[in-house]
Amino acid sequence: MATLDRYLDAMTKHRADALVFRADAPVAMVVSGASKPVSSRPATEDQIVALLAEVLGSAYTPGLTGSRVFPYPSPSGLVNITVNESHQGIVVMIEPGRGHAAPSSTANAAPPIAASRPNGVNGAHGGNGMANAAPAARPAPPPAAPISISPADSAELAMATPSLGVSAGASAHGIDAFFNHMLDMGASDMHLKSGIVPMVRVDGGILAMPNRGTLSSEQIQRMVEPIMPDRNRQEFADTNDTDFAYELGARARMRCNVFRDLSGMGAVFRQIPSKVLTAEQLGLPKAVIDMCQHTKGLVVVTGPTGSGKSTTLAGMVDWINKNRNDHIITIEDPVEFVHKDIKCLVNQREVGVHTKGFKSALRAALREDPDIVLVGEMRDLETVAIAIETAETGHLVFGTLHTNTAPSTVDRLIDQFPTDRQSQIRLMLSESLKGVVAQTLLKKKGGGRVAALEILVVTSAVANLIREGKTFQIPSVMQTGRGIGMQTISDAMIELVRNNVVEASEAYAKAPNKKEFAMVLSRAGFQGPWSAGME
């Protein structure tokens, strides 16, 4: 009997949901979401590779990065073997296959998979990480002691009481395979919904995750609950939704939202790269970098949800961290990009974990000797008021709003206040606001996305318009302020179209003011549906 078959036999006896093999960790069995080590010592990568090759033979090529699924008709029934290989190592998750096929020893079983490992196994191991690279020979690992199930651990497992969240270790590994699959596809988001296959967002569009089956509400619960902090489990039980962050090793962080809907339990995960993209890598214009050099004032980065505001702000904070000697405090829900202390001292606080809310954290920040304060979201009147006051008292404050253009951002900041306070806020804002960056993500030709930035630099002329309540004239000032780096969203989009970075139709679809942008496109010589009636 193959070594893996002994594990599968134990998995069947204990009615387990999955087996998880991970390099340098004990083999774990997952029962109702709770994991239990069932090997007496950690498994090595070579042992796991040998175990797979023993039952999959030439169907399995070791060393190819990415996630692959192999059906295996074991003596205990059909199982699906999900193999995920990356620079972090190998993770194998085995789950019962659909229909629980009869043992492969029957006469009419599916054609057998080679049961012995070939003398030489070809595969791209290490290399450049490209899954479709030409396979390079990988020598068979030297004979290693087989992985054995500890009888004591196995007996203890049989008596264990299933309980969600007893151990997040191996339970989380099951969803890690989905996260790695998502990242390998270049997806920004993953959606789990009961009754359908997992869906991912790639370059702005939603599509099904390949080689994945439909998930039930119970399966989603078993996958998600082990990675939820205790506080969020309680919040989910009370309110049926919760937000938290999850660290996927050194590869990425995930911003997680778990909820209930008509179908049952669901979840959405957005990837936050572990490595902060620098201002240079993001291609931030000089006018945006100049906003990072102020010693006090308010800078607002705006845009729709998913437009890359957090990425832009992270690049700006990273520039400050490398070029100034200051104290930075970030207040986020949840913490997304993690900044290490370089030239600055950086404190990052998460709402709900380190503080009750943005308002209380922002008030506390004034007593924590900051030079720069980043407010993840300026959601309400009081938070906006404190942010403006903080900027007025000699601090540089960065914040975000969900507005589409720079002029509408100024209006939103003012309109949050009662009418009798708006004249005072206009005066305060005219003195404290230093700049606004409004951005929209567009699909690039050939794949990927690029940000179009509208940039408002608050000059004395702009400050006068804010103070006098004439914000509708700001776009005209932006047109004449190109020499100091100002640009409208239409200017930014048409430049991307002219440089053949995005399609004209994509820019038109994302333009906030389509009538105005249709004229810009037509004047630039681009014809399309927007041209009707322009002559």
Side-chain angles (χ1 to χ4, degrees), residues 112-172:
I113 300 174
S116 60
R117 185 177 188 175
N119 292 330
V121 180
N122 293 328
H125 184 61
N128 61 6
M130 297 295 290
N132 58 354
R138 168 182 171 141
I147 315 168
S148 60
I149 302 176
S150 163
D153 285 342
S154 185
E156 184 181 352
L157 175 66
M159 296 183 290
T161 302
S163 171
L164 284 172
V166 169
S167 168
S171 303

Side-chain angles (χ1 to χ4, degrees), residues 83-243:
V83 182
N84 188 280
E85 295 184 70
S86 68
H87 65 282
Q88 297 176 36
I90 185 169
V91 179
V92 177
M93 182 174 176
I94 304 176
E95 301 171 289
R98 292 184 188 174
H100 295 272
S104 58
S105 58
T106 60
N108 296 322
I113 300 174
S116 60
R117 185 177 188 175
N119 292 330
V121 180
N122 293 328
H125 184 61
N128 61 6
M130 297 295 290
N132 58 354
R138 168 182 171 141
I147 315 168
S148 60
I149 302 176
S150 163
D153 285 342
S154 185
E156 184 181 352
L157 175 66
M159 296 183 290
T161 302
S163 171
L164 284 172
V166 169
S167 168
S171 303
H173 299 165
I175 201 167
D176 283 357
F178 284 76
F179 288 149
N180 282 307
H181 191 174
M182 161 195 172
L183 296 174
D184 291 340
M185 293 179 65
S188 60
D189 302 80
M190 179 173 72
H191 297 250
L192 302 183
K193 179 182 177 181
S194 176
I196 66 169
V197 299
M199 307 292 284
V200 290
R201 185 180 295 278
V202 179
D203 295 341
I206 294 284
L207 52 92
M209 184 178 277
N211 301 319
R212 296 289 181 183
T214 59
L215 296 173
S216 67
S217 181
E218 292 74 20
Q219 286 174 311
I220 294 173
Q221 182 174 357
R222 288 198 298 267
M223 290 169 61
V224 172
E225 280 207 7
I227 68 171
M228 292 169 63
D230 291 339
R231 177 186 70 86
N232 294 92
R233 279 201 207 103
Q234 186 59 52
E235 183 178 51
F236 180 70
D238 294 340
T239 65
N240 282 331
D241 58 63
T242 188
D243 295 292

Side-chain angles (χ1 to χ4, degrees), residues 14-87:
H14 295 304
R15 300 180 183 274
D17 302 310
L19 279 169
V20 180
F21 296 79
R22 190 183 188 92
D24 302 321
V27 181
M29 193 177 289
V30 184
V31 182
S32 297
S35 67
K36 180 72 178 179
V38 292
S39 64
S40 54
R41 62 185 64 185
T44 67
E45 181 170 343
D46 283 340
Q47 285 176 323
I48 297 173
V49 168
L51 179 144
L52 292 172
E54 185 180 13
V55 296
L56 300 180
S58 59
Y60 166 63
T61 302
L64 297 183
T65 58
S67 183
R68 292 166 287 164
V69 180
F70 302 91
Y72 169 54
S74 78
S76 302
L78 179 68
V79 296
N80 288 327
I81 303 175
T82 302
V83 182
N84 188 280
E85 295 184 70
S86 68
H87 65 282

